[in-house]
Structures are given as C-alpha cells and as structure tokens.
Amino acid sequence: MALQWMILSWVVAAEAAVVVLVTLPAPRLVKSRIVALASLLLQPLAGVLPFAAFQLLDLHWKNEHRLICAVDVCTTDERIRYEKSIFKAQRNVILCVLACLLYWCTYRICKYNKEIKELEEVEKRLKEQ
C-alpha cells in the first residue's frame, strides 16, 4: 500500500527538479537543451495524471467508508489511529494534487519557451528581409 505513495512522492520530487531546472536563468543554448529534455520527459510523465486521479478517487472512497470514531465510543488508541489515518489521507491528497500541478507547470513552461523561441526566429527572419 505504501509503495504507490513512495512512487508518487519520487515522481513529484522529479517533477519539482525539472520545474526548477527549466525556470532557472541560463544561457540560451543551455536553456533550449534543458527545455528540449523536459519536453521529451513530458510524454512518459503523463502517466502520473491518471495514476494520481485514481489515487484521489481511492482516497475519496476510503474517506466516505471510514468508520467514524466518536469520543465516547473509541478508546484512546483507536482515536489516535483514526486521527493518524486522517492526517495520512490529507498528506496523500496534497501529494496527488502536487503531482498534477507540477506536471501542468512543466508543460506550460516548456510550451512558453518553445513559443518564445519560435517568435524570436520569426523576428530574426523579418529583420533579415
């Protein structure tokens, strides 16, 4: 059960590293190479979107069917276990949302960089004419 969250956390860490690399200021040649590499990584990383969506649905289903621990019914250990599971579920929701958000950010940044490059090429052709 924890393996899927470990995989998702590593994917989020990799996406965060890619976003940082793409947004750091760099010379044009280096920047274009980094953007090209990130663009190549986008297609395989798209698999994280349905995975994260499935995990969100799973968390929602578990939240709907979770036993509610009232103060007068539960022991202290049961109450702690219940609160711990709530905290883990909240952490996992944040992880799923971050995976989707970072993928989208990487996609948009790469797209903007490609559009800027194309506009610079058009501007260069217009100046030559």
Side-chain angles (χ1 to χ4, degrees), residues 54-73:
F54 175 75
Q55 294 302 324
L56 281 172
L57 288 173
D58 184 46
L59 286 168
H60 175 69
W61 184 86
K62 286 178 181 176
N63 188 39
E64 291 293 320
H65 295 88
R66 179 177 283 135
L67 295 174
I68 297 174
C69 190
V71 178
D72 54 343
V73 177

Side-chain angles (χ1 to χ4, degrees), residues 15 18 21 36 47 49 61 75 77 79 85 87 92-93 103 110 115:
E15 286 178 343
V18 168
L21 282 175
L49 297 175
W61 184 86
T75 65
D77 290 336
R79 182 75 179 160
S85 71
F87 291 140
N92 293 340
V93 166
Y103 180 84
C110 288
E115 289 174 359

Side-chain angles (χ1 to χ4, degrees), residues 5 8-9 11-16 19 48-49 52-53 56 90-106:
W5 299 113
L8 194 60
S9 64
V11 168
V12 167
E15 286 178 343
V19 168
V48 77
L49 297 175
L56 281 172
Q90 290 171 346
R91 179 201 61 202
N92 293 340
V93 166
I94 291 170
L95 194 62
C96 290
V97 170
L98 264 177
C100 296
L101 183 67
L102 284 172
Y103 180 84
W104 180 80
C105 288
T106 306

